Amino acid sequence: MTVSVDVQHWNAWQRSWDRQQQWYLPDREERFRVMLDVVEAVAGPAPRVLDLACGTGSISERLLARLPGAVSVGVDLDPALLAIAAGHFAAEPRITLVTADLRSPDWAALLPPDPFDAVVTATALHWLPADDLARLYRDLFGLLRPGGVLLNADHAPSPDTPLLNAADEAFQRRRQERERAEGVLDWPSWWAAAAADPLLAEHVVARNAIYGSRVEEESRSAQWHLARLRESGFTEAGVVWRSVSDALVAAIR
Ligand SMILES: C[S@@+](CC[C@H](N)C(=O)[O-])C[C@H]1O[C@@H](n2cnc3c(N)ncnc32)[C@H](O)[C@@H]1O
């Protein structure tokens, strides 16, 4: 991928992406911190990490800042988010970016060959239909070394707490309204701003052609993920962090 080396420009988009995501996930940094605690606990200070559905590479950025000996492979399908990642990490030799569709059964053939110590992913796998996600969990089992860890943070409200879920949704909506009034961008307005940037516009057209007709899937419970992970062969699977609406599940190969 050819990207201008105007690093400041891409850094500004990286921060803007983080702010937009944080509008949806006020505890985003906290879940990333717990995620990297588990990576470091299981894999030590120099892990080889797969950042799945990496977007602009937010998790990899935090990984590399925290663990200077780490290396990361970021995989995504979105040409605009990958363009931001490529610009932001232009001078960073520890990250490799790969374009792949996780719904394709052959996606892993595009990765460098060595096994991973950890797979991390956030706010992404609910985009996949259930059959594709169950297959992906089996693929990830095969990509991890024995003893390696998979961490997936995603929407996972409990079906047992509808009153709590509704109260939290209303509370978050009020926070979002306040922040919108202060100028924070939501998903549609962020993408409109990206489309208006001459350096990103053609990538946004390409991403709209890829994602335009796709329907976002329903979120699944943490229990659903734990059951699929155990069926995929993982030795252990558990919840290592959660909020009312979201959970971080971890599984050890
Ligand atoms: C909300 S973003 C989260 C990105 C990043 N993990 C973060 O936390 O900032 C969801 C990501 O999933 C990616 N994604 C969704 N479906 C995908 C697929 N089939 N193959 C590869 N990436 C996919 C999108 O392109 C997008 O970058």
Side-chain angles (χ1 to χ4, degrees):
M1 182 182 302
T2 310
V3 175
S4 155
V5 278
D6 182 359
V7 175
Q8 304 264 18
H9 182 81
W10 300 114
N11 290 353
W13 275 114
Q14 173 72 264
R15 296 284 74 82
S16 163
W17 168 261
D18 282 340
R19 187 63 192 94
Q20 175 256 110
Q21 285 288 290
Q22 204 172 345
W23 186 76
Y24 293 95
L25 311 166
D27 40 32
R28 184 168 178 256
E29 293 302 327
E30 189 185 336
R31 71 185 66 185
F32 287 171
R33 194 265 303 160
V34 175
M35 186 179 265
L36 296 182
D37 281 354
V38 177
V39 170
E40 187 175 351
V42 172
R48 181 176 150 73
V49 175
L50 176 60
D51 183 353
L52 201 65
C54 63
T56 61
S58 298
I59 302 174
S60 289
E61 183 183 42
R62 286 148 186 77
L63 168 79
L64 299 176
R66 173 172 166 162
L67 301 176
V71 292
S72 176
V73 176
V75 177
D76 206 283
L77 183 60
D78 187 314
L81 300 183
L82 283 172
I84 294 171
H88 178 68
F89 294 112
E92 175 53 79
R94 294 172 295 169
I95 183 165
T96 305
L97 297 171
V98 174
T99 301
D101 184 353
L102 299 174
R103 293 184 64 176
S104 160
D106 303 325
W107 73 278
L110 298 166
L111 297 176
D114 297 334
F116 292 94
D117 300 307
V119 178
V120 294
T121 185
T123 332
L125 300 189
H126 65 275
W127 288 33
L128 302 184
D131 288 352
D132 286 338
L133 180 48
R135 190 221 71 243
L136 182 64
Y137 278 154
R138 292 193 294 276
D139 296 344
L140 296 173
F141 178 85
L143 291 170
L144 279 165
R145 65 157 169 83
V149 65
L150 163 63
L151 290 141
N152 174 20
D154 209 347
H155 307 307
S158 168
D160 301 332
T161 56
L163 298 176
L164 187 58
N165 298 347
D168 184 60
E169 274 170 33
F171 171 75
Q172 298 299 345
R173 255 198 312 277
R174 290 196 295 277
R175 174 190 56 77
Q176 288 180 328
E177 281 164 15
R178 279 197 309 276
E179 292 181 1
R180 279 291 280 145
E182 291 161 6
V184 178
L185 301 182
D186 63 7
W187 182 265
S189 47
W190 190 87
W191 280 107
D197 176 355
L199 293 180
L200 268 181
E202 73 181 79
H203 299 298
V204 176
V205 170
R207 74 87 56 189
N208 289 342
I210 293 168
Y211 284 116
S213 60
R214 296 197 184 192
V215 178
E216 198 164 320
E217 292 292 308
E218 290 293 307
S219 59
R220 300 161 182 117
S221 69
Q223 274 56 41
W224 184 95
H225 289 281
L226 299 181
R228 298 295 84 70
L229 287 163
R230 291 192 190 106
E231 285 166 13
S232 304
F234 285 90
T235 307
E236 267 183 28
V239 175
V240 293
W241 174 93
R242 78 159 302 138
S243 63
V244 176
S245 57
D246 289 37
L248 171 58
V249 295
I252 301 278
R253 179 182 166 166

